[in-house]
Amino acid sequence: MAKMEVKTSLLDNMIGVGDMVLLEPLNEETFINNLKKRFDHNEIYTYIGSVVVSVNPYRSLPIYSPEKVEDYRNRNFYELSPHIFALSDEAYRSLRDQDKDQCILITGESGAGKTEASKLVMSYVAAVCGKGAEVNQVKEQLLQSNPVLEAFGNAKTVRNDNSSRFGKYMDIEFDFKGDPLGGVISNYLLEKSRVVKQPRGERNFHVFYQLLSGASEELLDKLTLERDFSRYNYLSLDSAKVNGVDDAANFRTVRNAMQIVGFLDHEAESVLEVVAAVLKLGNIEFKPESRVNGLDESKIKDKNELKEICELTGIDQSVLERAFSFRTVEAKQEKVSTTLNVAQAYYARDALAKNLYSRLFSWLVNRINESIKAQTKVRKKVMGVLDIYGFEIFEDNSFEQFIINYCNEKLQQIFIELTLKEEQEEYVREGIEWTHIDYFNNAIICDLIENNTNGILAMLDEECLRPGTVTDETFLEKLNQVCATHQHFESRMSKSSRFLNDTSLPHSCFRIQHYAGKVLYQVEGFVDKNNDLLYRDLSQAMWKAGHTLIKSLFPEGNPAKINLKRPPTAGSQFKASVATLMKNLQTKNPNYIRCIKPNDKKAARIFSEALVCHQIRYLGLLENVRVRRAGYAFRQAYEPCLERYKMLCKQTWPHWKGPARAGVEVLFNELEIPVEEYSFGRSKIFIRNPRTLFKLEDLRKQRLEDLATLIQKIYRGWKCRTHFLLMKKSQIVIAAWYRRYAQQKRYQQIKSSALVIQSYIRGWKARKILRELKHRKRCEEAATTIAAYWHGTQARRELKRLKEEARRKHAVAVIWAYWLGLKVRREYRKFFRANAGKKIYEFTLQRIVQKYFLEMKNKMPSLSPVDKNWPPRPYLFLDSTHKELKRIFHLWRCKKYRDQFTDQQKLIYEEKLEASELFKDKKALYPSSVGQPFQGAYLEINKNPKYKKLKDAIEEKIIIAEVVNKINRANGKSTSRIFLLTNNNLLLADQKSGQIKSEVPLVDVTKVSMSSQNDGFFAVHLKEGSEAASKGDFLFSSDHLIEMATKLYRTTLSQTKQKLNIEISDEFLVQFRQDKVCVKFIQGNQKNGSVPTCKRKNNRLLEVAVP
């Protein structure tokens, strides 16, 4: 039987509250306590409606196994406990079945588990989508793009050992079946400043350490690198080694992933050469040198590093050396060359390293996109996965935090808009009245940052582009002038008097009141980071490189394409990217994963309430809950609602036969729930207050306990009665066996006593008879002697008397003879007529019989035993004679017909007679087999050279050689096999090779089963425990079923002296390994004409459809 599906719900066995919408009361303290309670019980996922809140456990949990994937596959979102797989499945099924493009937005601060969440989403989608060589290749390429991007874009920070230092958005493209076709990756704001400087306790990007740890000696020599991290200024030494991280193994993983994604060998080598060049750039140092005009000029201290870089990149050493010492400024038709002092030279070196690495990363993303992009041009469905930095509030917040928080403001804005839109659409769809929801609209904050005229980014760009002295202080002054009256902007130097005495607000800072809280930004570095300036001399030097990859990374260095226009600033580029991202997200159905870091120690089982509270605020989770539960806190389709709570009402329990909505109405009326607490939609019930839902759950829990008690009571009664009946039956059996034993013992005693008495009586009788016989013998001898003498005397007397009497009788006889003659003659005439009539009758009767036999001679039927003609009876008195003569004639002609047969023909007719006794009026196939001669050897193995090997392997005489279809025990499909029957064995051989597959002694065959219908299926049952029965009984299909069963029956009877059981039934059991399977014959319409089909339904049923 199929496993019965168990109905489950999010509310079953719930730890804390699985959906924060149902949290009562709702405040920050209860929110955190609920998260902590679930975290302590390893429940790291919690819902806010359709949003998944994920708390990083900092350890492996057994909740991502293939079994878990199957549990959440094609299940309702609220059917099981909260899990990231539930959201992934909901998004994938909406994309596949409803043709809706999806987007999964993963946000949270560094260390919260965003990267792992994106991997889990991709791995789940890869597990549940289609299979096939091409599909598997696409899935593997999509998954293997992660290790490559992590190596080049992730780094160890104080908060996270594998922190993503860039934002990633991947569009996975699917066909109409839901199979992946390819993908497109977009990256946002790589933290390229990390290349040249890392905070204390943090590392540079992973790839530098992986290259030095995992590369072979040959590769290191080729790149002129050494394994010692301390040799390179760009690598921090205090945290170069990370516990639990094997950089060498990860390097091998990255190289393998690059190969799977589609990187060619020379491309991978070029990438590593660029990485080596970046490392070596950090080792270039400068020294000051005074010129004649009194200006300071920088010179390179040790030119060996510069030489190695030039050898790696194919750049002329003098060109690169000049680029580090001079800067050329072009204005209209004029060129001005100025020297760089030491500080400017170091700035140029670091700018080149950052740009080189940043452009390499962008090239990697584009190269991966070329490999994983969809090859077909058919219409595609898209699922986007956004893994981007969360809202950041540090002690020192600079330009990077500003634009990151700007991105999160935009994401929060689209989240609120789409959530409200989704709520409103559901209310309208269900016919529920929509009520306005008050919420904080952060559009005013977004406008403060991105407004094209007086936004902060616009003013920053304007400050960077204007002539004259430009500093961070002038930028802050401009902000104080333009944004002073904005309610979300705060600065101590602004015109607003309310901040003049705010000591928490330094003079060189400004503060923005974001949706997640106030953030203080240090204005220092805003202008330089926004400019992101790389000297044109360095760009041109890179373009002149002989290294193909490096040359392609700096197209602006081409002298033929010199553009005097200033390149776009970092802020404007990021703003454009965010705008494109928002436009993309607006076209897709969003799904949200909010990641939370439980502690700063990266340790398991530690939950810092203060840290979590901080993240809850800037993620706006409480705001999310309030928006979600502003109308009705809980909604559920009528069918699952009735299924869950039907036991609370006598009218709906155990089965409700009407519509589900009517059943829910009856249920709620019975429970007397206030009408204002719920509303009926078209397909769902809406519950306003979580208290109402929890009341239902409490009532259900109590009712389930009552039902469990009732079930236990009935079960215990049944169990005790079953035990009593078993004991009673056992007592009867024991008593019967004891009485049998007692009677047997008493019988043996009586029998023994009777034998003793009989022996004594027989002895006494024998002795008595012996005495009587001896006395009788003596008496008889005496009597014999006396009688002999007496008989002699009597004989002599009688002889004399007889002689005298004989003489007298002779005379009397003569006289009597004459008298009789006279008397007869006198009486002759008197009786003459009566005597003549008798004579005439007898004569006439004789003539009629004679005529009857003569006519029968001429009217005799043919000598064929099947000819049933016989002449009609001429006279009634000859009826018995006529029938007997017919019987005698039929027996005589049958004997004459049999005398013509050869021994082989007699054997065939004996088999036909046996088949008639076995199958006539029992098997519908029998009549069609009567006219077919039994040939036996249909394959002519002795003549066919193909089966020479098979013939040599069989020493016995072959009775049957026929091709049959052997039915597969697992799926009901058929395979051709050669069926061989000899005097002692039944053999199965491969039709193509002739190799013997199975050999069964006839003594191990116990029964043959078949249906009563017009089909050729039959089962050969084997003796349990025999070697041949290890895999179970055989099921065959043959066109010569009657002949094969008859010959098998006769051969088994001849060898074992026992009749083989032939079972004819439309349902019978066969043994397949350890299982007994029912073979059932049914009537059905066949797709392939009149050929029966066999199909395995489940572990206990095999159906044969017969036309």
Side-chain angles (χ1 to χ4, degrees):
M1 291 180 62
K3 182 179 178 182
M4 192 176 86
E5 183 179 355
V6 179
K7 298 287 185 182
T8 57
S9 170
L10 170 71
L11 301 171
D12 289 332
N13 303 320
M14 187 168 59
I15 297 171
V17 177
D19 190 343
M20 290 293 188
V21 176
L22 303 178
L23 189 62
E24 189 71 22
L26 176 63
N27 53 55
E28 197 171 79
E29 182 181 356
T30 57
F31 193 100
I32 295 173
N33 289 338
N34 187 59
L35 281 182
K36 185 177 187 304
K37 183 176 181 180
R38 292 178 61 79
F39 178 79
D40 292 340
H41 289 81
N42 294 329
E43 293 287 343
I44 64 172
Y45 296 111
T46 308
Y47 291 155
I48 300 177
S50 59
V51 177
V52 175
V53 178
S54 170
V55 183
N56 192 347
Y58 283 118
R59 62 193 178 98
S60 297
L61 294 177
I63 58 174
Y64 307 109
S65 61
E67 292 77 15
K68 278 288 183 183
V69 172
E70 289 302 318
D71 288 344
Y72 283 87
R73 185 173 187 174
N74 294 327
R75 301 293 286 268
N76 184 278
F77 186 74
Y78 296 102
E79 192 170 343
L80 298 176
S81 59
H83 202 291
I84 195 172
F85 285 170
L87 181 136
S88 304
D89 186 74
E90 184 78 10
Y92 176 71
R93 286 191 293 115
S94 297
L95 176 137
R96 182 192 64 192
D97 302 335
Q98 301 176 20
D99 206 20
K100 293 181 180 179
D101 287 349
Q102 301 292 315
C103 176
I104 299 177
L105 282 72
I106 307 171
T107 57
E109 73 172 48
S110 179
K114 301 188 298 298
T115 301
E116 287 302 316
S118 66
K119 290 181 185 177
L120 289 171
V121 170
M122 292 177 65
S123 63
Y124 179 85
V125 173
V128 300
C129 63
K131 309 296 180 186
E134 186 175 345
V135 173
N136 288 339
Q137 181 183 358
V138 173
K139 289 193 292 187
E140 188 66 17
Q141 286 185 336
L142 291 173
L143 293 175
Q144 290 300 323
S145 65
N146 282 324
V148 179
L149 294 179
E150 285 184 16
F152 287 87
N154 290 23
K156 188 260 183 191
T157 66
V158 292
R159 297 185 174 188
N160 187 2
D161 289 343
N162 187 32
S163 175
S164 297
R165 308 316 300 162
F166 70 104
K168 181 178 75 172
Y169 177 75
M170 173 182 281
D171 267 335
I172 307 174
E173 299 173 337
F174 299 83
D175 63 8
F176 70 97
K177 303 188 300 297
D179 295 340
L181 296 173
V184 179
I185 300 173
S186 303
N187 66 299
Y188 300 95
L189 194 64
L190 176 72
E191 188 189 13
K192 56 186 177 182
S193 61
R194 181 171 293 272
V195 175
V196 299
K197 184 180 180 181
Q198 305 91 41
R200 186 172 183 82
E202 298 188 3
R203 293 205 313 178
N204 209 323
F205 292 103
H206 291 327
V207 68
F208 297 114
Y209 304 92
Q210 292 174 358
L211 175 61
L212 298 180
S213 300
S216 63
E217 294 294 340
E218 181 183 357
L219 180 58
L220 289 178
D221 291 342
K222 183 178 179 181
L223 299 176
T224 63
L225 294 175
E226 300 179 18
R227 293 200 187 276
D228 186 6
F229 296 158
S230 63
R231 286 276 295 111
Y232 303 99
N233 296 332
Y234 279 166
L235 302 183
S236 60
L237 301 179
D238 56 341
S239 57
K241 293 291 185 181
V242 181
N243 293 332
V245 176
D246 187 349
D247 288 319
N250 289 340
F251 180 73
R252 292 190 290 271
T253 302
V254 171
R255 291 298 300 269
N256 182 57
M258 293 178 74
Q259 185 176 4
I260 293 174
V261 171
F263 282 83
L264 302 177
D265 291 340
H266 75 272
E267 290 178 329
E269 290 177 3
S270 297
V271 170
L272 295 180
E273 288 170 354
V274 175
V275 173
V278 172
L279 267 180
K280 289 182 171 297
L281 275 174
N283 290 349
I284 295 179
E285 296 183 350
F286 301 94
K287 61 183 179 180
E289 188 174 292
S290 298
R291 299 185 67 183
V292 178
N293 57 7
L295 298 175
D296 286 339
E297 181 182 357
S298 63
K299 290 292 183 181
I300 297 175
K301 287 183 181 180
D302 185 2
K303 296 186 179 181
N304 287 332
E305 293 287 353
L306 182 65
K307 180 182 178 183
E308 292 177 356
I309 293 174
C310 293
E311 289 176 353
L312 274 175
T313 58
I315 302 174
D316 188 342
Q317 184 174 341
S318 61
V319 173
L320 186 56
E321 184 177 1
R322 174 176 174 77
F324 281 133
S325 302
F326 294 90
R327 176 188 179 189
T328 301
V329 178
E330 296 185 21
K332 296 183 179 180
Q333 301 299 322
E334 297 181 2
K335 287 186 180 182
V336 178
S337 181
T338 61
T339 59
L340 300 178
N341 58 30
V342 172
Q344 292 172 332
Y346 276 116
Y347 173 84
R349 179 200 69 176
D350 292 343
L352 176 61
K354 291 188 291 183
N355 273 272
L356 188 58
Y357 191 84
S358 174
R359 298 184 187 203
L360 171 66
F361 186 78
S362 298
W363 180 87
L364 280 171
V365 172
N366 293 331
R367 180 63 183 82
I368 291 173
N369 285 337
E370 289 180 10
S371 297
I372 65 176
K373 68 179 180 181
Q375 301 300 319
T376 59
K377 295 184 179 180
V378 297
R379 182 180 177 275
K380 309 175 187 69
K381 305 176 182 180
V382 178
M383 176 185 290
V385 180
L386 178 64
D387 174 7
I388 201 163
Y389 9 69
F391 201 90
E392 292 188 351
I393 306 177
F394 300 146
E395 289 185 8
D396 295 324
N397 301 289
S398 186
F399 179 75
E400 292 84 359
Q401 284 69 46
F402 175 74
I403 59 176
I404 286 173
N405 293 342
Y406 160 62
C407 179
N408 278 271
E409 285 286 357
K410 296 295 289 184
L411 290 174
Q412 176 68 7
Q413 183 182 23
I414 194 174
F415 169 75
I416 294 295
E417 289 177 358
L418 294 178
T419 301
L420 287 174
K421 181 182 178 183
E422 181 184 357
E423 282 285 293
Q424 186 173 4
E425 286 179 351
E426 183 171 20
Y427 277 45
V428 172
R429 186 168 59 249
E430 292 293 328
I432 303 295
E433 183 180 355
W434 170 257
T435 56
H436 177 71
I437 297 175
D438 292 327
Y439 67 97
F440 171 66
N441 189 345
N442 67 336
I444 188 172
I445 303 175
C446 297
D447 185 69
L448 170 65
I449 299 172
E450 67 181 3
N451 190 285
N452 291 328
T453 56
N454 54 3
I456 295 176
L457 286 176
M459 286 186 286
L460 180 59
D461 287 348
E462 183 180 332
E463 191 68 12
C464 291
L465 296 175
R466 75 174 178 83
T469 303
V470 177
T471 64
D472 297 319
E473 287 73 16
T474 59
F475 166 62
L476 181 58
E477 289 176 7
K478 191 163 189 174
L479 287 183
N480 291 332
Q481 292 174 6
V482 178
C483 304
T485 59
H486 198 285
Q487 58 183 336
H488 290 275
F489 179 84
E490 301 174 4
S491 173
R492 198 165 184 180
M493 303 299 293
S494 67
K495 298 177 182 179
S496 179
S497 60
R498 57 196 174 107
F499 302 116
L500 292 177
N501 299 319
D502 189 352
T503 56
S504 65
L505 193 58
H507 291 280
S508 61
C509 301
F510 66 92
R511 188 160 55 201
I512 295 179
Q513 187 175 346
H514 289 282
Y515 78 93
K518 294 182 178 181
V519 182
L520 184 68
Y521 296 103
Q522 298 283 347
V523 77
E524 181 182 355
F526 261 63
V527 174
D528 286 342
K529 292 176 180 177
N530 187 51
N531 273 326
D532 193 23
L533 187 60
L534 178 67
Y535 298 150
R536 185 174 287 116
D537 301 77
L538 289 172
S539 298
Q540 293 176 350
M542 292 297 105
W543 187 83
K544 294 176 182 177
H547 197 281
T548 308
L549 175 57
I550 292 178
K551 185 172 184 176
S552 66
L553 297 179
F554 294 88
E556 76 277 10
N558 187 352
K561 299 180 180 179
I562 291 179
N563 185 4
L564 299 181
K565 186 178 179 181
R566 190 181 183 95
T569 61
S572 61
Q573 291 181 28
F574 188 74
K575 177 182 172 182
S577 299
V578 170
T580 304
L581 176 63
M582 296 302 114
K583 184 177 179 181
N584 193 356
L585 296 181
Q586 288 281 3
T587 63
K588 295 180 174 60
N589 184 50
N591 304 271
Y592 297 91
I593 301 174
R594 305 293 203 186
C595 298
I596 292 178
K597 182 172 66 172
N599 60 78
D600 279 327
K601 298 179 181 180
K602 295 181 280 191
R605 298 187 175 89
I606 297 178
F607 190 91
S608 173
E609 295 186 10
L611 178 64
V612 173
C613 178
H614 171 70
Q615 295 173 79
I616 288 173
R617 287 175 182 172
Y618 74 63
L619 284 174
L621 298 186
L622 278 175
E623 184 75 13
N624 294 355
V625 177
R626 292 190 182 101
V627 170
R628 185 67 170 81
R629 63 183 286 180
Y632 291 89
F634 182 79
R635 69 286 315 266
Q636 190 176 29
Y638 290 119
E639 288 79 5
C641 180
L642 181 62
E643 185 68 24
R644 185 168 183 81
Y645 302 113
K646 64 181 180 181
M647 72 287 297
L648 301 180
C649 176
K650 292 182 179 180
Q651 299 179 51
T652 57
W653 176 259
H655 300 293
W656 174 260
K657 297 184 180 179
R661 172 170 177 166
V664 174
E665 291 177 355
V666 170
L667 175 65
F668 275 56
N669 291 333
E670 179 74 16
L671 296 177
E672 297 181 353
I673 297 174
V675 178
E676 62 272 10
E677 285 296 316
Y678 62 88
S679 289
F680 292 105
R682 292 189 176 91
S683 63
K684 294 180 180 179
I685 175 74
F686 288 75
I687 298 176
R688 187 178 300 277
N689 200 306
R691 287 193 298 272
T692 304
L693 180 65
F694 292 139
K695 177 184 175 182
L696 288 174
E697 283 298 307
D698 292 339
L699 292 173
R700 178 178 181 271
K701 182 178 180 181
Q702 181 61 42
R703 180 57 178 159
L704 288 178
E705 291 177 357
D706 296 341
L707 291 175
T709 303
L710 177 63
I711 293 171
Q712 287 175 349
K713 181 184 74 173
I714 295 173
Y715 171 74
R716 290 191 185 109
W718 170 82
K719 187 176 181 180
C720 290
R721 174 168 176 78
T722 303
H723 181 69
F724 165 74
L725 292 176
L726 180 62
M727 294 293 290
K728 181 179 178 181
K729 183 178 178 182
S730 303
Q731 186 271 334
I732 293 172
V733 172
I734 294 171
W737 278 88
Y738 174 76
R739 285 194 294 271
R740 174 187 172 189
Y741 167 75
Q743 291 297 326
Q744 285 179 340
K745 188 173 182 181
R746 184 168 178 269
Y747 167 74
Q748 293 295 339
Q749 291 175 349
I750 295 173
K751 181 178 179 182
S752 178
S753 302
L755 290 176
V756 172
I757 294 171
Q758 286 177 352
S759 65
Y760 278 102
I761 292 176
R762 288 192 188 102
W764 173 76
K765 277 189 171 184
R767 289 190 294 274
K768 182 180 179 183
I769 292 172
L770 180 61
R771 287 195 297 271
E772 290 177 353
L773 288 176
K774 287 181 179 180
H775 176 71
R776 190 185 301 169
K777 184 178 180 182
R778 287 193 296 271
C779 293
E780 287 178 354
E781 288 177 352
T784 302
T785 302
I786 295 170
Y789 281 101
W790 167 251
H791 288 156
T793 303
Q794 288 290 98
R796 287 190 291 276
R797 289 177 181 174
E798 184 68 18
L799 178 62
K800 189 183 290 186
R801 187 185 66 78
L802 289 175
K803 286 182 179 179
E804 183 62 28
E805 188 178 353
R807 284 194 296 273
R808 286 197 297 272
K809 283 184 177 180
H810 180 68
V812 173
V814 172
I815 295 169
W816 178 252
Y818 276 100
W819 164 248
L820 286 177
L822 176 63
K823 192 176 179 180
V824 168
R825 283 192 295 275
R826 287 178 180 176
E827 295 292 330
Y828 177 77
R829 287 177 182 164
K830 181 180 176 179
F831 297 102
F832 176 75
R833 293 183 66 180
N835 193 29
K838 181 179 181 180
K839 292 289 185 179
I840 293 170
Y841 171 76
E842 291 176 352
F843 176 78
T844 304
L845 189 63
Q846 184 178 4
R847 289 297 300 164
I848 289 174
V849 172
Q850 185 179 11
K851 182 180 178 182
Y852 165 72
F853 280 113
L854 289 174
E855 288 179 352
M856 286 295 294
K857 177 182 178 183
N858 296 328
K859 295 181 180 180
M860 279 296 173
S862 66
L863 295 180
S864 172
V866 296
D867 189 357
K868 295 184 179 180
N869 294 323
W870 186 248
R873 177 195 62 209
Y875 302 101
L876 182 62
F877 73 93
L878 292 175
D879 183 63
S880 59
T881 304
H882 193 72
K883 290 180 180 179
E884 182 65 18
L885 187 62
K886 178 181 179 181
R887 186 184 68 81
I888 294 171
F889 177 77
H890 181 69
L891 293 176
W892 173 76
R893 68 182 177 182
C894 286
K895 181 179 181 305
K896 295 288 288 182
Y897 187 77
R898 287 195 302 273
D899 291 343
Q900 301 173 7
F901 292 165
T902 63
D903 292 340
Q904 185 176 1
Q905 289 176 321
K906 287 181 180 180
L907 179 61
I908 292 174
Y909 279 97
E910 285 176 3
E911 290 177 344
K912 286 287 186 179
L913 183 60
E914 195 81 60
S916 175
E917 294 176 355
L918 291 174
F919 303 110
K920 187 176 181 181
D921 299 328
K922 299 177 183 177
K923 177 72 176 173
L925 186 67
Y926 171 73
S928 61
S929 70
V930 173
Q932 299 176 358
F934 290 173
Q935 298 180 17
Y938 290 93
L939 294 183
E940 298 182 348
I941 291 179
N942 295 332
K943 299 179 182 179
N944 195 335
K946 177 180 178 182
Y947 302 119
K948 183 177 185 302
K949 181 179 179 181
L950 181 60
K951 173 189 172 185
D952 296 340
I954 302 174
E955 299 178 354
E956 301 175 276
K957 177 185 176 183
I958 297 176
I959 300 173
I960 293 179
E962 164 67 332
V963 175
V964 300
N965 289 324
K966 177 180 175 292
I967 307 304
N968 190 292
R969 299 179 177 92
N971 52 25
K973 296 183 179 179
S974 60
T975 307
S976 297
R977 290 283 187 269
I978 299 176
F979 184 97
L980 300 171
L981 177 65
T982 65
N983 289 331
N984 295 308
N985 296 292
L986 186 153
L987 300 98
L988 292 177
D990 187 84
Q991 186 183 6
K992 295 181 179 179
S993 64
Q995 181 181 0
I996 296 177
K997 296 290 186 179
S998 302
E999 183 172 358
V1000 181
L1002 291 183
V1003 295
D1004 290 343
V1005 179
T1006 60
K1007 186 171 65 172
V1008 175
S1009 299
M1010 63 190 71
S1011 74
S1012 62
Q1013 304 185 42
N1014 192 17
D1015 62 273
F1017 283 86
F1018 68 99
V1020 178
H1021 301 267
L1022 306 181
K1023 184 188 296 182
E1024 292 188 10
S1026 63
E1027 182 180 355
S1030 60
K1031 293 184 178 179
D1033 302 336
F1034 291 103
L1035 189 60
F1036 301 106
S1037 173
S1038 173
D1039 295 334
H1040 303 94
L1041 167 61
I1042 301 298
E1043 177 182 357
M1044 296 178 73
T1046 304
K1047 288 184 180 289
L1048 182 60
Y1049 176 86
R1050 288 174 59 85
T1051 308
T1052 305
L1053 179 63
S1054 172
Q1055 295 300 318
T1056 64
K1057 307 303 181 184
Q1058 295 180 353
K1059 291 184 178 181
L1060 181 63
N1061 185 12
I1062 303 292
E1063 179 186 0
I1064 300 177
S1065 173
D1066 288 343
E1067 282 191 28
F1068 54 81
L1069 294 176
V1070 294
Q1071 185 78 29
F1072 285 173
R1073 294 188 182 276
Q1074 302 300 325
D1075 300 328
K1076 285 197 176 292
V1077 178
C1078 176
V1079 181
K1080 184 176 181 180
F1081 292 80
I1082 61 173
Q1083 296 290 334
N1085 297 324
Q1086 307 303 311
K1087 298 179 180 179
N1088 52 354
S1090 60
V1091 179
T1093 58
C1094 184
K1095 186 174 182 181
R1096 184 74 179 264
K1097 286 294 187 181
N1098 52 49
N1099 292 338
R1100 294 287 185 270
L1101 180 61
L1102 188 74
E1103 281 192 356
V1104 180
V1106 181

